[in-house]
Amino acid sequence: MPQIIVNGKSVHTDPHETLLEVLRREGIRIPTLCHWEGLPAVGACRLCVVELDGQVNLVPACATPAAEGMRVLTHSPRVVDARKTIIELILANHPDDCLYCPRKGSCELLRLANELGITERTYRGAKIHHPKDVSSPSLVRDPEKCILCGRCVRVCSQIQHVGAIDFTSRGATALVAPAFGDGLNISSCIHCGQCVMACPTGALTDARHIRRVTSALEDPSLTVVIQHAPSVSVTLGEYFGFAPGTDVDGLMVAALRRLGFKVVFDTSFTADLTVMEEAAELVDRIRNHGPLPMFTSCSPAWVKFVENFHPRWRENVSTCKSPQQMMGALIKNVWAGNNGVHPDRVFSVSVMPCTAKKAEARRPEMLTEGRFDVDAVLTTRELAELITMKGIDFSTLTPSLPDHPFGTRSSAGKLFGATGGVLEAALRTAFHMLTGQNPAAEPIHALRESEGIRELTLKIGDLELRVAAVSGLAAADRLLGEIEAGRMNPHLVEVMSCPGGCIAGGGQPYGHDATAVASRMQALYKVDRGSVLRFSHENQEILRLYREVLGEPLGETSHRLLHTGNGGHHVR
Ligand code: SF4
Ligand code: SF4
Ligand code: SF4
């Protein structure tokens, strides 16, 4: 195995590894502001420079292949001085705004300035003023805090195949912005928030809903009801010292009650409902000539992606509302009436792993009886902030359970939080709808891979059901290309916009930590393994809802509350 010498110690390298990969594997922290896991190195910020024996110039570790015999110094005085100068130059025209910045507790630039011991302004650059872009329902863009690292540009174009933002202008006036300097609202942005996850500073952040939620909680005339998405319970704990993948479901529900929410429901319940409706829609499309394949609709950034870039496939997207919107419609149109609350006095909040859910909640077809199903959407990050703001000692709370009737879920509904999970849950119920029997609820391992296009053919009675799952929109684009070229012909396709699914959604803890994402995924699978209720169609509260309110899947009331459009497949 090739060896290099790092700070005097011999270290092995694997073929094609960069110096950065070797050093990080060895537990040596090398700062970067432009590098992003999974994308090719660009060597733009130069913060990862190291010193090589025998070379005059420092080299960027991210773009330098590790070669046999190299002697590397990672923190020599020259290296540290160079890194410090780079940060000082970035700060030369950066606003002195940390106290009021949404990223002050998680800013990579601020952390590096601290780590490098920067305590005074060394360089003074011209400040160019740009207004904040608050036009998007999901994101806020603050160009004055942009350090031109380019992560967002590359994530948006290479991981999501969108290209809503790019570098404009040159030199001191260079900027990252949508085309023609317009607002994000009229760009091709699909609201996924993956750029927010990648941004090291406060230049891209959530469109915050905390204020409107606290105002509602303070209004005695309102009944504030909250729902929480399947993936949030396995990520929220990271803000309160729990290891990634710790399921803090009970503590989270207790915290929501402590915050003052009168009623707490579990969005996994309406994930079960989505399974019922989506499986019925699939069977109906198969029996009544399509259109096929049917694409899942629970990821709003994917729905917007189809609308923006592949409108010919719009009719193939399921008409089911997402679990968030189904729950919102049930809260105002079923729960409120049953509990003597006028729907206008209900304020419906959701906690979601996703910035696109904020935009989804404002789509015109997400009104039922003239009211928005969901009034405010908090990301996981915002919920953590709210819990901290209210002085709640999260880890010492006594765990609590969600309320009935929309708090009972199967573990199939919980699987919605990971890529492949919607499909796995839907297949369990579609099998039952087509055969009258339950399939073995064994994990479908082919769908539990987190990367690439996964295909599967299942024999269900006389039918050979072909399904596929994909996450990340560049991968979805490839999959559409395969279908259009006739190389794939699935009946059902699950698309999650964020790589890995909602556990790595644009509203989750900042950054990209592949190990943390894998732990969160395993936590959801553990819930499924340990559950006695693993089929959505066996959820007794779902069956009762159909008996007492909805009638049957795809029935008239279901269409009114749970589907977009007027009930046809062609109206989304
Ligand atoms: S982006 Fe970071 S350095 Fe800039 S104002 Fe915000 S917290 Fe401070
Ligand atoms: S939210 Fe998604 S689509 Fe919009 S700019 Fe960011 S990465 Fe691109
Ligand atoms: S907006 Fe953020 S991610 Fe994009 S270039 Fe600026 S600092 Fe980097």
Side-chain angles (χ1 to χ4, degrees), residues 145-153 176 195 198-201 203-204:
K145 290 180 184 157
C146 176
I147 58 169
L148 301 174
C149 69
R151 281 186 191 169
C152 58
V153 173
V176 166
C195 55
C199 182
T201 71
L204 286 165

Side-chain angles (χ1 to χ4, degrees), residues 106 132 254 314 531:
S106 57
K132 267 191 202 170
R314 275 177 53 160
S531 173

Side-chain angles (χ1 to χ4, degrees), residues 139 152 155-156 160 162 164-165 184 188-195:
L139 318 179
C152 58
V155 164
C156 189
Q160 298 298 58
V162 172
I165 41 180
L184 269 173
S188 56
C189 174
I190 50 145
H191 312 124
C192 69
Q194 287 299 307
C195 55

Side-chain angles (χ1 to χ4, degrees), residues 129-260:
H129 295 292
H130 299 285
K132 267 191 202 170
D133 175 5
V134 294
S135 64
S136 163
S138 295
L139 318 179
V140 174
R141 204 172 59 82
D142 185 350
E144 293 191 1
K145 290 180 184 157
C146 176
I147 58 169
L148 301 174
C149 69
R151 281 186 191 169
C152 58
V153 173
R154 291 186 297 133
V155 164
C156 189
S157 65
Q158 294 177 43
I159 295 182
Q160 298 298 58
H161 268 201
V162 172
I165 41 180
D166 208 339
F167 287 97
T168 66
S169 201
R170 289 170 184 226
T173 57
L175 196 64
V176 166
F180 311 115
D182 284 334
L184 269 173
N185 61 331
I186 50 171
S187 73
S188 56
C189 174
I190 50 145
H191 312 124
C192 69
Q194 287 299 307
C195 55
V196 177
M197 298 291 277
C199 182
T201 71
L204 286 165
T205 52
D206 300 343
R208 290 157 64 81
H209 287 189
I210 288 183
R211 189 62 221 146
R212 65 176 82 158
V213 170
T214 51
S215 297
L217 286 168
E218 285 157 17
D219 184 341
S221 74
L222 291 176
T223 300
V224 189
V225 180
I226 193 161
Q227 54 169 308
H228 54 87
S231 62
V232 177
S233 74
V234 298
T235 57
L236 181 68
E238 290 167 37
Y239 286 101
F240 300 101
F242 291 87
T246 308
D247 186 4
V248 296
D249 200 64
L251 293 176
M252 174 179 66
V253 174
L256 293 174
R257 294 196 192 289
R258 190 69 75 84
L259 285 169

Side-chain angles (χ1 to χ4, degrees), residues 14-34:
D14 293 328
H16 311 301
E17 269 191 315
T18 63
L19 277 178
L20 184 66
E21 287 164 334
V22 178
L23 299 173
R24 287 194 166 167
R25 179 161 46 69
E26 287 301 307
I28 300 171
R29 280 192 55 204
I30 304 292
T32 60
L33 280 172
C34 67

